[in-house]
């Protein structure tokens, strides 16, 4: 079945550091890829999506590029802030399949200190 | 920000008791999903609807879980006989159409004692 792998379980940075969270996926079809962010006590919030090869998604200074060749969708931000501290999830959906459910990675907890 | 409403935010039940939670999807969104997020932050798909019709559900859902999305009423997810392993955050998400991005509510945190 489909799967999403996030390499980093936890990331600790200082304000203004560069952020990279690695995401690789495995899917039989041509999935749509997402990044979600979850703050304590809340549901996941959509950051952005990308649905075709080389498409870049971006929001709030975060960005990721769909790479079909390397089956990756790495999240990057040039300068993190303390308010970015949260859990980040890479996810995929295969809308062409029989179920458009989201398949999530295990999440990466980002802690940013001032 | 998402406008998916979930109630109650917290639910405490004893083993064997029924647990019912509700979801109002974002206005105009005919597709609704329920997910379970466990204490390890892992997500499990439970069931989805399109225009009040169940499209898919996992086996666990078929046995002890029931769900509906009636027209002009909140969607609901009910666990007939709660077990300790059902303790989790139950998330409702809605979408404008099949395969589009899903918007989540804040969840109902169920604790089964």
């Amino acid at each position: 079945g489909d799967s999403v792998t996030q390499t980093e379980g936890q990331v600790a940075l200082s304000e203004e550091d560069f952020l990279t969270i690695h995401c690789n996926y495995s899917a039989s079809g041509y999935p749509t890829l997402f990044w979600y962010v979850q703050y304590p006590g809340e549901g996941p919030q959509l950051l952005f999506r990308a649905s075709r090869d080389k498409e870049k998604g971006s929001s709030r200074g975060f960005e990721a590029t769909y790479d079909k060749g390397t089956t990756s969708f790495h999240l990057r931000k040039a300068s993190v802030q303390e308010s970015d501290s949260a859990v980040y999830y890479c996810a995929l959906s295969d809308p062409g399949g029989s179920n458009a459910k989201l398949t999530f990675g295990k999440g990466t907890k980002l802690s940013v200190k001032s | 920000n998402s406008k998916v409403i979930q109630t109650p935010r917290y639910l405490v039940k004893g083993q064997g008791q029924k647990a019912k939670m509700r979801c109002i999807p974002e206005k105009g969104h005919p597709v609704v999903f329920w997910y379970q997020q466990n204490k390890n932050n892992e997500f499990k798909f439970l069931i989805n609807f399109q225009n009040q019709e169940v499209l898919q559900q996992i086996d666990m859902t078929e046995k002890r879980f029931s769900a509906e999305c009636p027209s002009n009423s909140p969607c609901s997810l009910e666990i007939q006989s709660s077990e300790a392993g059902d303790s989790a955050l139950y998330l409702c998400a809605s979408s404008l159409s099949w395969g589009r991005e899903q918007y989540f509510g804040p969840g109902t945190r169920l604790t089964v004692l």
Side-chain angles (χ1 to χ4, degrees):
Chain A
D2 297 344
S3 66
V4 175
T5 302
Q6 290 179 235
T7 311
E8 298 87 358
Q10 295 191 67
V11 174
L13 297 173
S14 299
E15 281 196 325
E16 299 183 12
D17 280 352
F18 190 91
L19 168 71
T20 301
I21 298 176
H22 295 94
C23 171
N24 288 88
Y25 68 91
S26 173
S28 54
Y30 202 136
T32 297
L33 304 175
F34 305 85
W35 275 102
Y36 281 86
V37 57
Q38 187 173 26
Y39 299 96
E42 298 182 14
Q45 295 176 21
L46 177 69
L47 270 178
F48 52 79
R49 57 170 271 180
S51 54
R52 59 184 183 275
D53 192 24
K54 301 296 184 280
E55 180 179 357
K56 184 164 89 172
S58 63
S59 174
R60 310 185 210 171
F62 292 92
E63 62 178 41
T65 300
Y66 193 137
D67 190 329
K68 196 167 187 298
T70 59
T71 60
S72 67
F73 193 53
H74 305 317
L75 182 68
R76 294 185 167 92
K77 186 175 186 182
S79 176
V80 295
Q81 303 301 310
E82 191 173 4
S83 58
D84 294 327
S85 297
V87 182
Y88 291 81
Y89 294 95
C90 184
L92 70 79
S93 170
D94 182 9
S98 59
N99 188 339
K101 69 179 176 71
L102 288 169
T103 298
F104 287 88
K106 290 185 181 295
T108 299
K109 184 176 182 179
L110 172 64
S111 301
V112 181
K113 64 181 182 191
S114 57
Chain B
N1 284 337
S2 172
K3 299 176 181 62
V4 177
I5 299 170
Q6 288 190 251
T7 56
R9 292 293 307 274
Y10 301 92
L11 195 54
V12 180
K13 295 292 179 182
Q15 294 198 50
Q17 290 186 320
K18 284 186 183 180
K20 188 169 185 174
M21 55 205 84
R22 292 175 176 81
C23 167
I24 300 176
E26 197 161 327
K27 191 174 181 181
H29 284 194
V31 182
V32 174
F33 291 79
W34 285 96
Y35 296 89
Q36 179 195 66
Q37 185 180 22
N38 66 22
K39 62 181 181 181
N40 295 321
N41 284 336
E42 296 164 332
F43 292 81
K44 179 187 285 185
F45 162 79
L46 296 177
I47 191 168
N48 60 12
F49 294 83
Q50 183 162 357
N51 291 322
Q52 299 87 49
E53 182 184 344
V54 175
L55 293 183
Q56 288 209 312
Q57 56 187 340
I58 63 170
D59 285 348
M60 176 182 84
T61 315
E62 289 172 2
K63 292 187 170 70
R64 291 189 300 112
F65 289 57
S66 62
E68 60 177 4
C69 261
S71 179
N72 298 318
S73 293
C75 299
S76 64
L77 176 69
E78 184 172 54
I79 306 173
Q80 303 303 324
S81 178
S82 301
E83 299 174 356
D86 297 331
S87 295
L89 182 68
Y90 289 83
L91 292 161
C92 176
S94 72
S95 181
L96 190 58
S97 65
W98 191 252
R100 293 286 300 272
E101 51 270 27
Q102 296 176 28
Y103 296 92
F104 286 83
T108 293
R109 184 164 296 283
L110 172 65
T111 302
V112 182
L113 303 175

